[in-house]
Amino acid sequence: MTEATRVLVLNAGSSSVKYQLIDMLDGTRPAAGLVERIGEGSGRLKHTAPDGAVRETMQPYPDHAAALKAVAAELAADGLGLDSPELAAIGHRVVHGGKRFTAPTLVTDEVLTEIRRLVPVAPLHNPANITGIEVARALRPDLPQVAVFDTAFHTTIPEHAARYAIDPAIADEHRVRRYGFHGTSHQYVARATARLLGKDPAELNVIVLHLGNGASASAVAGGVCVDTSMGLTPLEGLVMGTRSGDIDPGVIFHLNRVGGLSIDEIDDLLNRRSGLLGLCGDNDMREILRRAEEGDAAAELAFRAYVHRLRKYLGGYYAVLGRVDAIAFTAGVGENAAPVRAAATVGLEELGIAVDPELNSVRSAEARVISPAYSRVTVAVVPTDEELEIAQQAYALVGAG
Ligand code: ADP
């Protein structure tokens, strides 16, 4: 009998589906791809086959069901269809798991109902994740479907850090608390950092800086998350590509009452037209670094505001942890932007933090240390791999791992 050693990882967004087929025996990825612009006039499917060949299909995908059927057909064309006996499970990224989902969970009707109940706190994300699960279940009803939650790793954050200082009755009625996101990445990177240092995660305190288009920091004590910068929604915390991060809530009242902006307009402003984009018109750090280099004042301000917030969280989490063994930079900006890493850590020798300029400038896809030997805190670049983490968690849950 063929052994089921593969996991299909699905990440269904509001208008896109990303997927990777991962073989858990050797870590290879026989196929991967994405469908974009679902529900729009012109969709696109990009599929990478086992031999590395890329097939692109341009056609409308009216809904997620159509998109996932097309993905299933692409996989089948490579002999990797959803009916293949090698498939052990489908792992779904689910953004919001609330307080209930603290670990990867086998999807049942009851679990789906609970994920649906969380839609009011994740209106942009959970509906697409739910659709992805429903469609995948319909295509292969007998196959284990595992939900892996972005919030799960943060459910260990103590109550005094998770609660906002508001009336608990009101907060509880509306499920208002700090949940945190990017948990799968923070968890993966915290563990990968321990591996890089040859240490047991249980004996390591790490500050993980996930700096992508969305960005968040977390404080991880002995493998357990004790604080993170995103809150009820992914808007809180660091300056991001298009999100403001921390802001005085009074700004919202002011813009509404005095500025005449509606709540929806302010929502759009803070989530989609703020952060780096709002400050300088670009949200790509490459472009900002290039412009700042040429002396562009707006780009320089955006860079400095971004780094200033990062340093505040670095210092804050240092105090939260008491002892820091490592700082790990990850995601698009964290893995690639040496000037951000340098500016975030400069002048912190008193805290035992130093970065070696030469090591920092090395470009590599591998996890690597960028601090000199004398640095008490190890500073590292640790590429994230959320898909692999989802696959591993799903595989372990279905008892195959
Ligand atoms: P997402 O949150 O969309 O998953 P990523 O983790 O892929 O984001 O990060 C995307 C961001 O990474 C880009 O917007 C860009 O700012 C940044 N980035 C990617 N490559 C580089 C690079 N070589 N130098 C600086 N920034 C980069």
mmCIF file of all heavy atoms in Angstrom, residues 307-330:
data_model
loop_
_atom_site.group_PDB
_atom_site.id
_atom_site.type_symbol
_atom_site.label_atom_id
_atom_site.label_comp_id
_atom_site.label_asym_id
_atom_site.label_seq_id
_atom_site.Cartn_x
_atom_site.Cartn_y
_atom_site.Cartn_z
ATOM 1 N N VAL A 307 11.624 52.195 11.752
ATOM 2 C CA VAL A 307 12.681 51.680 12.619
ATOM 3 C C VAL A 307 12.455 52.107 14.078
ATOM 4 O O VAL A 307 12.666 51.330 15.007
ATOM 5 C CB VAL A 307 14.064 52.154 12.111
ATOM 6 C CG1 VAL A 307 15.146 51.901 13.143
ATOM 7 C CG2 VAL A 307 14.407 51.463 10.793
ATOM 8 N N HIS A 308 11.983 53.335 14.277
ATOM 9 C CA HIS A 308 11.746 53.831 15.634
ATOM 10 C C HIS A 308 10.736 52.941 16.360
ATOM 11 O O HIS A 308 10.943 52.542 17.511
ATOM 12 C CB HIS A 308 11.230 55.273 15.575
ATOM 13 C CG HIS A 308 10.958 55.866 16.926
ATOM 14 N ND1 HIS A 308 11.963 56.218 17.793
ATOM 15 C CD2 HIS A 308 9.798 56.136 17.563
ATOM 16 C CE1 HIS A 308 11.436 56.687 18.910
ATOM 17 N NE2 HIS A 308 10.121 56.640 18.799
ATOM 18 N N ARG A 309 9.650 52.603 15.672
ATOM 19 C CA ARG A 309 8.619 51.747 16.292
ATOM 20 C C ARG A 309 9.189 50.367 16.598
ATOM 21 O O ARG A 309 8.933 49.783 17.644
ATOM 22 C CB ARG A 309 7.413 51.644 15.351
ATOM 23 C CG ARG A 309 6.209 50.894 15.910
ATOM 24 C CD ARG A 309 5.354 51.744 16.830
ATOM 25 N NE ARG A 309 4.961 53.000 16.226
ATOM 26 C CZ ARG A 309 3.917 53.162 15.405
ATOM 27 N NH1 ARG A 309 3.149 52.140 15.127
ATOM 28 N NH2 ARG A 309 3.629 54.340 14.899
ATOM 29 N N LEU A 310 9.988 49.869 15.667
ATOM 30 C CA LEU A 310 10.605 48.547 15.846
ATOM 31 C C LEU A 310 11.476 48.528 17.098
ATOM 32 O O LEU A 310 11.429 47.593 17.902
ATOM 33 C CB LEU A 310 11.454 48.274 14.595
ATOM 34 C CG LEU A 310 11.847 46.855 14.250
ATOM 35 C CD1 LEU A 310 10.648 45.944 14.263
ATOM 36 C CD2 LEU A 310 12.502 46.860 12.862
ATOM 37 N N ARG A 311 12.243 49.597 17.287
ATOM 38 C CA ARG A 311 13.136 49.684 18.450
ATOM 39 C C ARG A 311 12.339 49.765 19.743
ATOM 40 O O ARG A 311 12.745 49.225 20.774
ATOM 41 C CB ARG A 311 14.078 50.887 18.313
ATOM 42 C CG ARG A 311 15.112 50.708 17.210
ATOM 43 C CD ARG A 311 15.894 51.978 16.962
ATOM 44 N NE ARG A 311 16.752 52.371 18.071
ATOM 45 C CZ ARG A 311 18.036 52.022 18.215
ATOM 46 N NH1 ARG A 311 18.591 51.255 17.289
ATOM 47 N NH2 ARG A 311 18.741 52.429 19.229
ATOM 48 N N LYS A 312 11.194 50.461 19.695
ATOM 49 C CA LYS A 312 10.354 50.542 20.900
ATOM 50 C C LYS A 312 9.864 49.151 21.309
ATOM 51 O O LYS A 312 9.839 48.806 22.487
ATOM 52 C CB LYS A 312 9.163 51.478 20.667
ATOM 53 C CG LYS A 312 9.580 52.927 20.788
ATOM 54 C CD LYS A 312 8.550 53.990 20.573
ATOM 55 C CE LYS A 312 7.155 53.822 20.943
ATOM 56 N NZ LYS A 312 6.366 55.078 20.808
ATOM 57 N N TYR A 313 9.487 48.347 20.331
ATOM 58 C CA TYR A 313 9.032 46.990 20.658
ATOM 59 C C TYR A 313 10.186 46.104 21.108
ATOM 60 O O TYR A 313 10.036 45.277 22.002
ATOM 61 C CB TYR A 313 8.270 46.371 19.471
ATOM 62 C CG TYR A 313 6.810 46.735 19.551
ATOM 63 C CD1 TYR A 313 6.308 47.853 18.893
ATOM 64 C CD2 TYR A 313 5.927 45.999 20.345
ATOM 65 C CE1 TYR A 313 4.975 48.214 19.006
ATOM 66 C CE2 TYR A 313 4.595 46.354 20.462
ATOM 67 C CZ TYR A 313 4.127 47.452 19.790
ATOM 68 O OH TYR A 313 2.809 47.807 19.914
ATOM 69 N N LEU A 314 11.337 46.309 20.484
ATOM 70 C CA LEU A 314 12.522 45.540 20.876
ATOM 71 C C LEU A 314 12.840 45.808 22.356
ATOM 72 O O LEU A 314 13.029 44.881 23.146
ATOM 73 C CB LEU A 314 13.698 45.967 19.986
ATOM 74 C CG LEU A 314 14.849 45.024 19.763
ATOM 75 C CD1 LEU A 314 14.350 43.700 19.218
ATOM 76 C CD2 LEU A 314 15.838 45.648 18.773
ATOM 77 N N GLY A 315 12.865 47.084 22.714
ATOM 78 C CA GLY A 315 13.142 47.452 24.100
ATOM 79 C C GLY A 315 12.039 46.969 25.031
ATOM 80 O O GLY A 315 12.295 46.459 26.130
ATOM 81 N N GLY A 316 10.805 47.109 24.595
ATOM 82 C CA GLY A 316 9.664 46.692 25.409
ATOM 83 C C GLY A 316 9.697 45.197 25.685
ATOM 84 O O GLY A 316 9.516 44.754 26.835
ATOM 85 N N TYR A 317 9.984 44.412 24.662
ATOM 86 C CA TYR A 317 9.984 42.961 24.852
ATOM 87 C C TYR A 317 11.221 42.488 25.603
ATOM 88 O O TYR A 317 11.208 41.443 26.247
ATOM 89 C CB TYR A 317 9.814 42.245 23.501
ATOM 90 C CG TYR A 317 8.394 42.374 22.986
ATOM 91 C CD1 TYR A 317 8.027 41.981 21.714
ATOM 92 C CD2 TYR A 317 7.394 42.900 23.803
ATOM 93 C CE1 TYR A 317 6.718 42.104 21.268
ATOM 94 C CE2 TYR A 317 6.092 43.036 23.364
ATOM 95 C CZ TYR A 317 5.760 42.641 22.093
ATOM 96 O OH TYR A 317 4.468 42.772 21.663
ATOM 97 N N TYR A 318 12.286 43.273 25.516
ATOM 98 C CA TYR A 318 13.467 42.979 26.341
ATOM 99 C C TYR A 318 13.047 43.032 27.809
ATOM 100 O O TYR A 318 13.350 42.139 28.607
ATOM 101 C CB TYR A 318 14.554 44.017 26.063
ATOM 102 C CG TYR A 318 15.954 43.553 26.343
ATOM 103 C CD1 TYR A 318 16.901 43.459 25.329
ATOM 104 C CD2 TYR A 318 16.351 43.216 27.631
ATOM 105 C CE1 TYR A 318 18.192 43.046 25.571
ATOM 106 C CE2 TYR A 318 17.637 42.789 27.886
ATOM 107 C CZ TYR A 318 18.556 42.704 26.856
ATOM 108 O OH TYR A 318 19.826 42.272 27.103
ATOM 109 N N ALA A 319 12.295 44.080 28.162
ATOM 110 C CA ALA A 319 11.851 44.234 29.553
ATOM 111 C C ALA A 319 10.826 43.160 29.929
ATOM 112 O O ALA A 319 10.809 42.667 31.059
ATOM 113 C CB ALA A 319 11.260 45.625 29.755
ATOM 114 N N VAL A 320 9.967 42.807 28.993
ATOM 115 C CA VAL A 320 8.967 41.764 29.263
ATOM 116 C C VAL A 320 9.659 40.431 29.556
ATOM 117 O O VAL A 320 9.295 39.711 30.484
ATOM 118 C CB VAL A 320 7.996 41.608 28.056
ATOM 119 C CG1 VAL A 320 7.199 40.309 28.159
ATOM 120 C CG2 VAL A 320 7.058 42.802 27.968
ATOM 121 N N LEU A 321 10.713 40.123 28.783
ATOM 122 C CA LEU A 321 11.384 38.826 28.927
ATOM 123 C C LEU A 321 12.412 38.829 30.064
ATOM 124 O O LEU A 321 12.679 37.793 30.662
ATOM 125 C CB LEU A 321 12.085 38.445 27.613
ATOM 126 C CG LEU A 321 11.155 38.058 26.460
ATOM 127 C CD1 LEU A 321 11.927 37.976 25.148
ATOM 128 C CD2 LEU A 321 10.454 36.735 26.737
ATOM 129 N N GLY A 322 12.992 39.995 30.346
ATOM 130 C CA GLY A 322 14.021 40.070 31.394
ATOM 131 C C GLY A 322 15.372 39.615 30.893
ATOM 132 O O GLY A 322 16.365 40.306 31.043
ATOM 133 N N ARG A 323 15.415 38.448 30.276
ATOM 134 C CA ARG A 323 16.664 37.961 29.677
ATOM 135 C C ARG A 323 16.367 37.605 28.220
ATOM 136 O O ARG A 323 15.416 36.877 27.951
ATOM 137 C CB ARG A 323 17.136 36.711 30.418
ATOM 138 C CG ARG A 323 18.512 36.215 29.996
ATOM 139 C CD ARG A 323 18.743 34.750 30.366
ATOM 140 N NE ARG A 323 18.183 33.861 29.378
ATOM 141 C CZ ARG A 323 17.449 32.779 29.663
ATOM 142 N NH1 ARG A 323 17.174 32.474 30.914
ATOM 143 N NH2 ARG A 323 16.989 32.014 28.686
ATOM 144 N N VAL A 324 17.166 38.155 27.320
ATOM 145 C CA VAL A 324 16.971 37.844 25.903
ATOM 146 C C VAL A 324 18.199 37.093 25.391
ATOM 147 O O VAL A 324 19.321 37.543 25.569
ATOM 148 C CB VAL A 324 16.759 39.135 25.070
ATOM 149 C CG1 VAL A 324 16.656 38.807 23.585
ATOM 150 C CG2 VAL A 324 15.509 39.873 25.527
ATOM 151 N N ASP A 325 17.970 35.931 24.790
ATOM 152 C CA ASP A 325 19.082 35.163 24.224
ATOM 153 C C ASP A 325 19.267 35.447 22.744
ATOM 154 O O ASP A 325 20.378 35.397 22.234
ATOM 155 C CB ASP A 325 18.830 33.662 24.411
ATOM 156 C CG ASP A 325 18.653 33.299 25.863
ATOM 157 O OD1 ASP A 325 19.588 33.578 26.650
ATOM 158 O OD2 ASP A 325 17.579 32.795 26.228
ATOM 159 N N ALA A 326 18.146 35.704 22.055
ATOM 160 C CA ALA A 326 18.260 35.892 20.605
ATOM 161 C C ALA A 326 17.185 36.833 20.083
ATOM 162 O O ALA A 326 16.099 36.946 20.647
ATOM 163 C CB ALA A 326 18.152 34.544 19.899
ATOM 164 N N ILE A 327 17.546 37.515 18.999
ATOM 165 C CA ILE A 327 16.600 38.328 18.248
ATOM 166 C C ILE A 327 16.593 37.762 16.840
ATOM 167 O O ILE A 327 17.663 37.595 16.235
ATOM 168 C CB ILE A 327 17.036 39.805 18.222
ATOM 169 C CG1 ILE A 327 17.039 40.388 19.641
ATOM 170 C CG2 ILE A 327 16.127 40.629 17.299
ATOM 171 C CD1 ILE A 327 17.737 41.736 19.736
ATOM 172 N N ALA A 328 15.411 37.423 16.318
ATOM 173 C CA ALA A 328 15.336 36.816 14.982
ATOM 174 C C ALA A 328 14.547 37.713 14.043
ATOM 175 O O ALA A 328 13.400 38.054 14.309
ATOM 176 C CB ALA A 328 14.683 35.438 15.081
ATOM 177 N N PHE A 329 15.187 38.081 12.946
ATOM 178 C CA PHE A 329 14.521 38.861 11.892
ATOM 179 C C PHE A 329 13.980 37.903 10.838
ATOM 180 O O PHE A 329 14.718 37.016 10.379
ATOM 181 C CB PHE A 329 15.513 39.810 11.220
ATOM 182 C CG PHE A 329 15.872 41.011 12.050
ATOM 183 C CD1 PHE A 329 16.958 40.969 12.921
ATOM 184 C CD2 PHE A 329 15.128 42.188 11.960
ATOM 185 C CE1 PHE A 329 17.293 42.090 13.683
ATOM 186 C CE2 PHE A 329 15.469 43.301 12.710
ATOM 187 C CZ PHE A 329 16.547 43.256 13.568
ATOM 188 N N THR A 330 12.717 38.106 10.437
ATOM 189 C CA THR A 330 12.175 37.230 9.404
ATOM 190 C C THR A 330 11.184 37.957 8.497
ATOM 191 O O THR A 330 10.873 39.121 8.722
ATOM 192 C CB THR A 330 11.511 35.979 10.051
ATOM 193 O OG1 THR A 330 11.302 34.996 9.032
ATOM 194 C CG2 THR A 330 10.171 36.304 10.701
#
